[in-house]
């Protein structure tokens, strides 16, 4: 007599499949509607309405022309792109190097203590005022480094990479060392090529974090010319500061404030959204392999 299978292992019936498809479709619509509304609202000229609460009766790119004809939005986009690119490269480099060093806790004296210190940062934070005083004493105020150095290494990302490294067979690294390879050569020629999936995942995590960074810029950056796009978005779209301060007055006068605000939101969202397709195929493999040991 065949052993009975668990209910969740049985093939679902037609009604169950239809209910799953309907539920997924509803969830997708609920997720996409706000983003679609922002895009269509940014394309709506003055006096026009959105049919069915979403589709405009007419289209125009005047809001984007107005935003991009100014100086602050294009400059803020370039600042965010630069911070995201440089910060992601530095964070991935230092995270992988630290993770590689902490995989050899038996060989390197004091490495366990360093690991405990890193783990401790996941449970306790110094707070806003000590962090501000530290950045000030280091002379980083009003500098792009104040947006890079405080969050250079994430303890969570480091642990994910470390667990991934520890699953690589020790025979590979031992044979390389027998052949005369140094630790740097083992790291560059063996560990990194075998870790493309997890590196892509943490690079995506870091890139999203740097792109969405808002609070650090608000605290550490007083020069408006160094503001990233998220801080500009908060100032001119969320707080509703006068649009004429950043846009071409002639172009902005033909657009509603809502269309200008929605255009800024789209410009602040689309660049980082384009990164996901390139890292998506590594995402599941990298997270599961790096987070599970054994």
């Amino acid at each position: 007599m065949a052993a009975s299978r668990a209910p969740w292992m049985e093939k679902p019936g037609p009604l169950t499949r239809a209910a799953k498809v309907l539920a997924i479709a509803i969830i997708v619509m609920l997720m996409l509607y706000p983003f679609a509304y922002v895009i269509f609202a940014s394309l709506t000229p003055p006096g026009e309405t959105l049919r069915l609460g979403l589709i405009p009766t007419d289209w125009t790119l005047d809001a984007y022309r107005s935003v991009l004809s100014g100086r602050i939005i294009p400059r803020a986009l370039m600042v965010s792109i630069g911070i995201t690119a440089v910060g992601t490269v530095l964070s991935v480099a230092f995270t992988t190097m630290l993770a590689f060093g902490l995989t050899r806790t038996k060989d390197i004296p004091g490495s366990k203590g360093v690991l405990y210190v890193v783990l401790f940062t996941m449970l306790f934070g110094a707070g806003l005022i000590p962090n501000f005083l530290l950045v000030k004493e280091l002379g980083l105020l009003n500098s792009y480094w104040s947006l890079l150095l405080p969050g250079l290494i994430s303890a969570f990302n480091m642990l994910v990479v470390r667990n991934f490294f520890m699953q690589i067979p020790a025979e590979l690294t031992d044979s390389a060392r027998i052949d005369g390879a140094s630790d740097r050569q083992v790291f560059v020629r063996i560990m990194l090529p075998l870790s493309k999936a997890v590196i892509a995942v943490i690079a995506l995590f870091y890139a999203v974090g740097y792109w969405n960074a808002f609070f650090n810029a608000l605290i550490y950056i007083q020069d408006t010319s160094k503001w990233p796009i998220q801080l500009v978005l908060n100032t001119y779209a969320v707080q509703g500061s006068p649009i004429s301060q950043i846009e071409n007055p002639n172009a902005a006068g033909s657009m509603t404030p809502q269309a200008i605000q929605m255009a800024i939101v789209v410009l602040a969202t689309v660049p980082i959204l384009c990164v996901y397709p390139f890292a998506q195929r590594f995402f599941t493999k990298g997270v599961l392999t790096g987070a599970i040991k054994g």
Side-chain angles (χ1 to χ4, degrees):
M1 183 176 178
S4 59
R5 302 174 63 183
W8 58 83
M9 299 179 63
E10 298 292 342
K11 185 178 180 180
L15 291 179
T16 303
R17 291 198 297 268
K20 290 181 178 179
V21 171
L22 179 61
I24 293 175
I26 293 174
I27 293 174
V28 170
M29 291 176 61
L30 292 176
M31 297 291 291
L32 291 180
Y33 178 82
F35 189 65
Y37 176 83
V38 169
I39 294 177
F40 289 137
S42 67
L43 299 172
T44 305
E48 296 293 331
T49 58
L50 297 176
R51 291 174 293 180
L52 302 177
L54 184 63
I55 304 175
T57 56
D58 195 8
W59 307 78
T60 180
L61 295 175
D62 288 346
Y64 293 94
R65 296 191 187 99
S66 175
V67 168
L68 295 176
S69 66
R71 294 182 178 180
I72 292 184
I73 300 301
R75 183 173 56 214
L77 283 172
M78 295 305 298
V79 169
S80 290
I81 292 173
I83 291 174
T84 301
V86 175
T88 300
V89 171
L90 291 178
S91 292
V92 170
F94 281 93
T95 299
T96 52
M97 287 189 290
L98 177 61
F100 177 66
L102 293 181
T103 57
R104 303 180 58 192
T105 54
K106 296 181 179 179
D107 302 331
I108 303 177
S111 58
K112 274 193 175 182
V114 175
L115 178 60
Y116 293 148
V117 170
V118 174
L119 295 176
F120 183 72
T121 62
M122 300 180 66
L123 306 176
F124 177 80
L128 175 60
I129 295 178
N131 285 331
F132 179 84
L133 294 176
L134 176 62
V135 171
K136 180 180 179 181
E137 290 299 321
L138 292 176
L140 300 178
L141 284 182
N142 216 30
S143 167
Y144 292 132
W145 289 110
S146 64
L147 307 180
L148 298 174
L149 295 182
L152 189 63
I153 297 179
S154 166
F156 173 79
N157 291 340
M158 192 281 299
L159 289 178
V160 171
V161 178
R162 178 177 179 269
N163 289 341
F164 190 96
F165 284 168
M166 294 181 69
Q167 293 182 36
I168 296 177
E171 290 78 5
L172 289 175
T173 57
D174 292 341
S175 61
R177 290 189 175 94
I178 291 174
D179 291 337
S182 63
D183 287 338
R184 181 182 61 83
Q185 292 173 326
V186 170
F187 175 68
V188 174
R189 298 184 180 182
I190 297 179
M191 306 300 283
L192 292 184
L194 294 176
S195 308
K196 293 180 180 179
V198 72
I199 290 176
V201 171
I202 67 167
L204 178 62
F205 288 165
Y206 279 125
V208 173
Y210 282 116
W211 182 266
N212 293 330
F214 158 74
F215 191 70
N216 283 355
L218 179 65
I219 299 300
Y220 302 136
I221 304 295
Q222 289 81 38
D223 187 355
T224 57
S225 64
K226 296 181 179 180
W227 280 4
I229 188 61
Q230 301 301 334
L231 188 52
V232 173
L233 173 65
N234 176 75
T235 301
Y236 296 103
V238 179
Q239 297 181 6
S241 296
I243 299 298
S244 59
Q245 294 181 5
I246 60 171
E247 312 302 338
N248 183 347
N250 296 328
S254 62
M255 294 302 302
T256 62
Q258 184 189 30
I260 298 292
Q261 292 171 352
M262 295 302 146
I264 299 176
V265 172
V266 172
L267 292 175
T269 305
V270 169
I272 194 63
L273 195 64
C274 296
V275 176
Y276 277 90
F278 298 99
Q280 183 62 37
R281 64 192 183 100
F282 298 106
F283 191 84
T284 302
K285 179 182 176 182
V287 170
L288 293 180
T289 307
I292 301 175
K293 180 181 178 182

